[in-house]
Amino acid sequence: MSRPTGSAAEAAVRPGIERLASLIAEARSVVALTGAGISVPSGIPDFRSPGTGLWEKVDPMEVAHIDVFRRSPQRFWHFYGERFASLGSREPNDAHRALVELEGMGRVDAVITQNIDMLHRKAGTRELVEVHGSIARAVCLECGGSAPADEVRERLAASDDALPRCECGAVLKPDVVLFGEFLPVHAMERAQELCAGADVLLCVGSSLEVYPVAGLPLLTRDHGGAVAIITAGPTPLDGLASVRLDGDVVDELTALVAVLRAHGADG
Ligand code: ZN
C-alpha cells in the first residue's frame, strides 16, 4: 500500500503545511496523537466508517467487550483470534514512517496512539504511548501473567476448547482496552503529562470523539500549546485547531517532513 514519496516541489506546499511546519520549527516540544485514520493506508479499516474487513461481519461493540470475554470467552476468542492474525500481518505506511523521521530529526518527542495494531512500533517510533494497549501480548486477569502474541496463537491452535490459557489455567485476554474497560492508568498519565507539556499537539487520523483521549488536545490548549489536526472529516475540536488539514494523512505528513527538511537546510 505504500506510494512514492513526493518531493517538496511535488507536494506543492500549501499554506496550511507551511504554517504547521513553522509552528513545529519554533516549538520546544511536539507530541503526536494518532488514531485509526493513520492505519487506513495500511489496509486496516476504521470501524467507525462503513467499509470492508472484519468489522463488517461483526459489531465490535458486541464482541470486543469485556462482558463478552467474561461470559462467552469462546465467542470472544473466535472473533479475536482472527483479528490478531489479520492485524499482525499488516505493515506500517509512509505516514507512520514520516512520524519516525520527525522523531529522528528531533521534531517530535513522542507518539501517543489509540491504535492497537503495533504499526508505530514496527515503523520504529521510539517514544510510544499506546493508550488502548496493543496486540503484542495477552494478559492473565487472575495471576497477572502474560504471553507474547505468537505464543497466544500457538496456545489457541493447540487448545481443546478454542481458548488460549495462562500457565495458571485462566483464559488469557488480549492486552488491549476492550469496550467496558478503563484505559491503563500509567499510559494515560504519561499521555496527559506529554500533552500538557507540548507546545504543539499534532493530531493525526483521529476523529477525537472517544474520551478520555479526546480530552488530550484540551490539555495542550489549556497549557498554552497549539493544536494541529490532520484527519479526513470533521472533529468536535476543529474550532480550537491552529492548523486544520483534511487531506490524505500520507500526503500531508510527507509534505510536512519535506518542508521541515527544507527549513533545516535553510537554518
Ligand atoms: Zn494466570
Side-chain angles (χ1 to χ4, degrees), residues 140 142-143 145 166 168 170:
C140 175
E142 298 301 320
C143 76
C166 176
C168 80

Side-chain angles (χ1 to χ4, degrees), residues 1-263:
M1 293 293 286
S2 74
R3 62 188 77 194
T5 305
S7 67
E10 221 180 300
V13 179
R14 286 167 299 121
I17 290 285
E18 277 290 359
R19 198 159 65 245
L20 178 55
S22 303
L23 275 177
I24 290 177
E26 286 158 17
R28 276 170 302 118
S29 172
V30 179
V31 172
L33 170 63
T34 71
I38 197 169
S39 294
V40 170
S42 292
I44 301 172
D46 180 352
F47 71 81
R48 271 182 300 276
S49 47
T52 54
L54 280 176
W55 295 120
E56 200 176 59
K57 292 182 241 164
V58 280
D59 176 359
M61 282 293 274
E62 202 185 305
V63 184
H65 198 289
I66 186 67
D67 293 343
V68 177
F69 173 77
R70 289 186 197 283
R71 279 199 308 258
S72 330
Q74 262 104 354
R75 178 159 172 258
F76 176 89
W77 270 107
H78 177 70
F79 163 76
Y80 234 94
E82 245 185 86
R83 185 149 170 76
F84 256 136
S86 158
L87 287 183
S89 65
R90 300 296 174 179
E91 294 299 330
N93 63 64
D94 284 343
H96 297 102
R97 283 187 279 271
L99 290 179
V100 174
E101 216 172 325
L102 290 173
E103 189 179 22
M105 291 160 69
R107 297 299 195 184
V108 163
D109 293 341
V111 175
I112 301 165
T113 188
Q114 296 170 276
N115 301 335
I116 61 168
D117 54 33
M118 297 197 303
L119 295 187
H120 285 296
R121 283 195 213 194
K122 284 185 185 169
T125 290
R126 287 191 300 268
E127 272 304 310
L128 180 63
V129 183
E130 294 167 307
V131 289
H132 288 172
S134 94
I135 57 165
R137 328 183 57 74
V139 293
C140 175
L141 300 180
E142 298 301 320
C143 76
S146 71
D150 308 356
E151 171 102 31
V152 176
R153 272 197 294 277
E154 280 167 28
R155 290 191 204 175
L156 188 58
S159 140
D160 295 335
D161 57 0
L163 291 173
R165 290 183 186 277
C166 176
E167 274 100 14
C168 80
V171 179
L172 289 167
K173 185 191 88 82
D175 193 15
V176 302
V177 177
L178 301 177
F179 292 104
E181 281 191 305
F182 291 110
L183 269 57
V185 174
H186 181 74
M188 208 48 214
E189 280 174 358
R190 176 82 182 118
Q192 285 164 344
E193 185 189 347
L194 284 166
C195 289
D199 294 323
V200 178
L201 181 65
L202 178 59
C203 306
V204 182
S206 173
S207 57
L208 301 173
E209 282 172 330
V210 183
Y211 277 84
V213 170
L216 293 173
L218 300 175
L219 265 181
T220 300
R221 188 208 49 185
D222 292 349
H223 286 80
V227 174
I229 300 177
I230 305 179
T231 198
T235 84
L237 302 182
D238 288 348
L240 65 83
S242 301
V243 177
R244 179 67 178 93
L245 300 167
D246 63 2
D248 178 89
V249 288
V250 170
D251 294 344
E252 303 283 24
L253 287 179
T254 303
L256 176 64
V257 170
V259 173
L260 280 166
R261 282 216 175 283
H263 271 240

